[in-house]
């Protein structure tokens, strides 16, 4: 009897934990935390591991809160789409009040944690939540320009790490922001291309032309090129303490050409397989590019 009760409790805990990960989009949150820590390592003169932990905790809370608010706002639309109908709220496993409680608590904890680093970091974290939930989310059903708006909070994490380390916003974190800003477009338009039919069930307008056509593919190519250019700008010495060696710049540029290759393939074939390959290439690019930047600083 005790074994059965214990098994039920363990199952319940596992379900609650799985739903918490789903409502906060744990995998996305971890990738954002990675970007923030990379930015911190680039900005820090001396690594303070307690600051890294605060940044990781605060960053996760910021992203988790944004995603929880998003899923509360879009609960009815999520129920219409195949990829989201099993999320905790539309599936009935979590109430709106519980999700809002999680979002509010994580907002408070996140802002407090980032404030302990410095007020500027907390401010940018709060701006990120506001833009994501109050501007980007409602715009998704109104205009494809939502992706442009969403690129602002999406680009903050890389920059946030530098600000956390230095308590300063200047050309260095601005450059990090621009790299991730322009990366957002090929990444999310590739994802939007793959999921276009499902997105349309929820009324979301994610592609710039509204269609899976050459116009969308051409814009993906253009933004990929801009991303590649901005990613190597630090090699020219214009970006203060943010510097990149010639070898590292060549590596970053070559990684960008891989993304560009898949962007051209999408323009040529205009199918979901090509869009998926571009999306996966973009995920690899942003992670590897940040690693190259960090490694280049310390060798």
């Amino acid at each position: 009897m005790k074994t059965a009760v214990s098994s039920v409790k363990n199952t319940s805990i596992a379900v609650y934990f799985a739903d918490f990960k789903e409502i906060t989009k744990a995998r996305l949150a971890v990738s954002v935390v990675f970007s923030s820590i990379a930015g911190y390592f680039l900005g820090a003169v001396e690594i303070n591991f307690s600051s890294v932990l605060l940044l990781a905790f605060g960053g996760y809370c910021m992203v988790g809160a944004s995603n929880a608010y998003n899923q509360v706002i879009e609960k009815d639309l999520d129920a219409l789409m195949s990829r989201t109908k099993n999320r905790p709220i539309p599936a009935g496993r979590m109430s709106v009040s519980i999700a809002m409680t999680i979002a509010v608590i994580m907002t408070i904890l996140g802002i407090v944690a980032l404030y302990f680093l410095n007020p500027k970091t907390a401010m940018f974290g709060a701006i990120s939540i506001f833009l994501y939930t109050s501007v980007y989310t409602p715009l998704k059903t109104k205009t494809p320009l939502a992706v442009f708006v969403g690129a602002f909070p999406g680009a903050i994490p890389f920059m946030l790490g530098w600000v956390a380390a230095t308590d300063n916003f200047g050309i260095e974190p601005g450059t990090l922001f621009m790299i991730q800003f322009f990366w957002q477009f090929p990444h999310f338009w590739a994802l939007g291309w793959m999921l276009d039919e499902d997105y349309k069930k929820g009324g979301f307008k994610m592609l710039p032309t509204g269609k899976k056509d050459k116009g969308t593919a051409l814009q993906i190519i253009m933004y990929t090129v801009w991303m590649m250019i901005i990613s190597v700008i630090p090699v020219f010495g214009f970006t203060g303490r943010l510097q990149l060696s010639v070898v590292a710049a060549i590596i970053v540029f070559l990684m960008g050409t891989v993304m560009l290759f898949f962007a051209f393939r999408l323009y040529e074939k205009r199918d979901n397989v090509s869009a998926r390959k571009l999306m996966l290439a973009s995920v690899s690019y942003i992670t590897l590019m940040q690693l190259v930047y960090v490694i280049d600083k310390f060798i």
Side-chain angles (χ1 to χ4, degrees):
M1 182 68 177
K2 287 183 179 179
T3 303
V5 172
S6 176
S7 177
V8 170
K9 287 183 178 179
N10 289 338
T11 301
S12 298
I13 292 171
V15 170
Y16 293 147
F17 183 64
D19 283 344
F20 176 80
K21 290 196 298 180
E22 182 72 17
I23 203 75
T24 60
K25 292 188 180 177
R27 291 173 63 182
L28 172 61
V30 168
S31 70
V32 169
V33 168
F34 179 87
S35 291
S36 298
I37 292 174
Y40 177 91
F41 273 74
L42 290 173
V45 176
E46 183 178 333
I47 305 299
N48 184 316
F49 285 100
S50 62
S51 295
V52 173
L53 289 175
L54 275 174
L55 179 62
F57 177 76
Y60 189 98
C61 286
M62 294 288 94
V63 181
S66 297
N67 289 322
Y69 287 127
N70 174 268
Q71 291 182 50
V72 169
I73 295 167
E74 295 181 348
K75 63 184 188 303
D76 295 330
L77 300 180
D78 281 348
L80 302 175
M81 297 182 289
S82 300
R83 73 181 188 90
T84 56
K85 65 184 180 183
N86 198 43
R87 284 178 173 173
I89 300 176
R93 299 190 307 274
M94 183 181 292
S95 67
V96 169
S97 60
I98 292 296
M100 278 298 294
T101 300
I102 291 172
V104 170
I105 290 174
M106 293 189 79
T107 300
I108 294 169
L109 290 176
I111 291 176
V112 169
L114 296 181
Y115 188 84
F116 275 120
L117 291 168
N118 58 66
K120 289 188 183 73
T121 304
M123 177 190 72
F124 282 120
I127 289 172
S128 177
I129 291 179
F130 173 78
L131 288 176
Y132 190 86
T133 59
S134 300
V135 186
Y136 166 68
T137 295
L139 280 179
K140 287 162 67 178
T141 56
K142 302 291 191 300
T143 171
L145 287 173
V147 174
F148 174 78
V149 174
F152 283 89
I156 285 177
F158 201 16
M159 172 202 81
L160 191 73
W162 185 288
V163 176
T166 64
D167 192 18
N168 180 61
F169 181 82
I171 192 168
E172 299 95 342
T175 303
L176 298 180
F177 176 89
M178 292 304 293
I179 293 170
Q180 198 150 344
F181 178 81
F182 280 98
W183 170 83
Q184 303 275 322
F185 295 93
H187 173 72
F188 279 105
W189 283 336
L191 184 63
W193 189 298
M194 289 167 50
L195 301 173
D196 186 54
E197 289 77 13
D198 210 26
Y199 273 135
K200 284 179 178 176
K201 294 177 186 176
F204 294 130
K205 305 177 187 295
M206 302 302 289
L207 297 179
T209 67
K211 301 176 183 177
K212 297 158 70 169
D213 59 8
K214 282 191 173 182
T216 289
L218 182 60
Q219 291 198 48
I220 289 173
I221 290 170
M222 291 170 60
Y223 277 93
T224 302
V225 170
W226 276 111
M227 177 204 75
M228 291 170 63
I229 293 170
I230 294 168
S231 293
V232 298
I233 280 180
V235 77
F236 298 105
F238 303 147
T239 52
R241 287 204 300 115
L242 180 64
Q243 298 177 359
L244 201 62
S245 70
V246 173
V247 172
I250 291 171
I251 293 171
V252 169
F253 189 81
L254 289 175
M255 291 192 303
T257 61
V258 174
M259 257 187 81
L260 187 61
F261 168 79
F262 286 114
F264 273 108
R265 287 293 295 271
L266 180 60
Y267 181 84
E268 177 189 355
K269 296 193 171 184
R270 298 192 299 283
D271 60 6
N272 286 350
V273 173
S274 300
R276 177 175 172 78
K277 288 179 180 178
L278 173 59
M279 188 273 294
L280 292 174
S282 71
V283 172
S284 298
Y285 174 84
I286 198 67
T287 303
L288 293 174
M289 178 274 296
Q290 290 166 350
L291 283 173
V292 169
Y293 264 68
V294 172
I295 292 170
D296 187 58
K297 175 186 174 179
F298 289 100
I299 61 174

